[in-house]
Amino acid sequence: MDADYRPFHPSPSKPAYTPPEGSVDAHCHVFGPADTFPYAPERKYTPSDAPKEKLFALRDHLGFSRNVIVQASCHGRNNDALVDALLAAGDLARGVAIVDPDISDDELRKMDKAGVRAVRFNFVKRLVDATPRDVFLGIAERVVKLGWHIVVYFEAPDLADLIPFLKQLPGIVVVDHMGRPDVSKGVDHKDFQQFVSLLAENENFWTKVSCPERLTIQGPPYDDVIPFARLLVESFPDRVLWGTDWPHPNMKSHMPDDGMLVDVIPRIAVSEPAQRALLVENPMRLYWNKNEQ
Ligand code: 0GY
């Protein structure tokens, strides 16, 4: 683990909010353990191990039923830890992989069988070396044939440049962490409004209303992030997902208490139908191909 790396919270509180039956944590990771699943040589950070058993225990502790486990940059394009977790979880988890452009159809099929339903394209410069956009497009065209979708991670200043590329992607495109707005600028700022317009004008775009702990300037209980997430939930109720982002890689300011993150949910999805859509119906439709729980 890097010297300045913060491990996940050792004993998250029990949330006051009870998620609806069948809720999905749609953005979380597994890391290592490194002696079984070594970190990628090209990684930009070395986390503390965050194995599947800990993730599944957190899921139960928080009152969730399922996970969508997202491949993180520290494991590069080797999805073994992800696939191992998916196989252990059975029907209770789905996965988002990061793949090589020359991955074989056979390997893609194996991942599909294990529960992978998407690939992730990462544009965050501190996390990855750049991949040419035509390489990403080639991967996208292959995986949509399997019924998979695309997850993208970028930061707000890069959105304007990325929009033409994002619009070329086939199928559903899910944007991580609300496109990482600068919350000090407010929801009416042109940068966030550009993101809102992207979703308004392109019905294949979804977003995760996640990561208040990463976006906040004020800190917990994350009052400064609530208006951003709430606006998205209210504008696009059937295209939003929520996730813990456990084990919260690269947090510099503080390590969140996952119970407190769950307590943000009723502040961003105020009504019971909005909470059911966010936590159950939307992720079940996208990752389990089911209209209802
Ligand atoms: C997240 C956020 C981060 C890291 C990664 O792939 C990754 O390493 O996604 C980050 O550092 O912002 O969603 O886990």
Side-chain angles (χ1 to χ4, degrees), residues 2-255:
D2 292 329
D4 65 344
Y5 190 90
R6 289 173 187 263
F8 54 86
H9 196 293
S11 53
S13 60
K14 196 91 185 156
Y17 171 68
T18 305
E21 183 68 30
S23 286
V24 181
D25 173 354
H27 188 101
C28 49
H29 310 285
V30 287
F31 293 163
D35 51 4
T36 311
F37 302 111
Y39 298 113
E42 72 275 19
R43 70 189 179 280
K44 308 288 187 200
Y45 64 94
T46 304
S48 61
D49 286 346
K52 59 182 184 289
E53 295 82 4
K54 293 271 185 202
L55 175 65
F56 301 154
L58 179 78
R59 173 197 69 200
D60 297 345
H61 174 76
L62 297 177
F64 279 69
S65 301
R66 295 181 171 84
N67 296 112
V68 179
I69 307 174
V70 178
Q71 175 80 354
S73 60
C74 57
H75 274 302
R77 292 165 174 176
N78 182 323
N79 296 279
D80 288 353
L82 167 67
V83 167
D84 172 71
L86 294 177
L87 294 175
D91 197 43
L92 298 184
R94 293 289 187 261
V96 178
I98 300 177
V99 304
D100 242 19
D102 54 7
I103 188 169
S104 69
D105 287 339
D106 201 41
E107 272 180 272
L108 285 177
R109 269 194 299 271
K110 261 195 225 150
M111 285 205 276
D112 183 73
K113 215 161 168 238
V116 172
R117 293 291 180 271
V119 287
R120 189 181 197 209
F121 298 158
N122 193 334
F123 298 92
V124 178
K125 297 174 187 82
R126 76 185 149 79
L127 293 173
V128 287
D129 297 325
T131 297
R133 292 178 187 179
D134 58 331
V135 170
F136 278 150
L137 277 176
I139 294 172
E141 270 147 27
R142 286 182 65 197
V143 302
V144 289
K145 291 184 192 141
L146 291 165
W148 293 11
H149 61 270
I150 315 295
V151 173
V152 291
Y153 189 25
F154 57 81
E155 292 175 330
D158 296 321
L159 175 59
D161 173 57
L162 278 170
I163 282 179
F165 164 78
L166 295 175
K167 286 185 176 174
Q168 282 181 65
L169 290 172
I172 290 176
V173 179
V174 180
V175 179
D176 281 343
H177 315 327
M178 305 189 271
R180 298 221 31 163
D182 175 349
V183 299
S184 71
K185 293 178 169 167
V187 290
D188 294 328
H189 189 273
K190 65 174 175 39
D191 288 356
F192 187 63
Q193 284 304 318
Q194 183 177 41
F195 180 62
V196 173
S197 298
L198 181 70
L199 268 81
E201 290 160 16
N202 300 276
E203 290 199 346
N204 59 320
F205 279 73
W206 293 42
T207 192
K208 296 176 192 163
V209 287
S210 46
C211 271
E213 74 283 9
R214 242 178 239 294
L215 302 175
T216 187
I217 292 159
Q218 296 171 1
Y222 311 121
D223 293 353
D224 52 347
V225 187
I226 304 292
F228 292 80
R230 191 163 162 176
L231 185 151
L232 292 169
V233 169
E234 286 173 359
S235 306
F236 311 106
D238 56 354
R239 291 188 270 145
V240 282
L241 301 167
W242 184 89
T244 54
D245 196 29
W246 187 89
H248 314 286
N250 305 310
M251 281 298 296
K252 301 293 180 221
S253 57
H254 69 294
M255 181 49 62

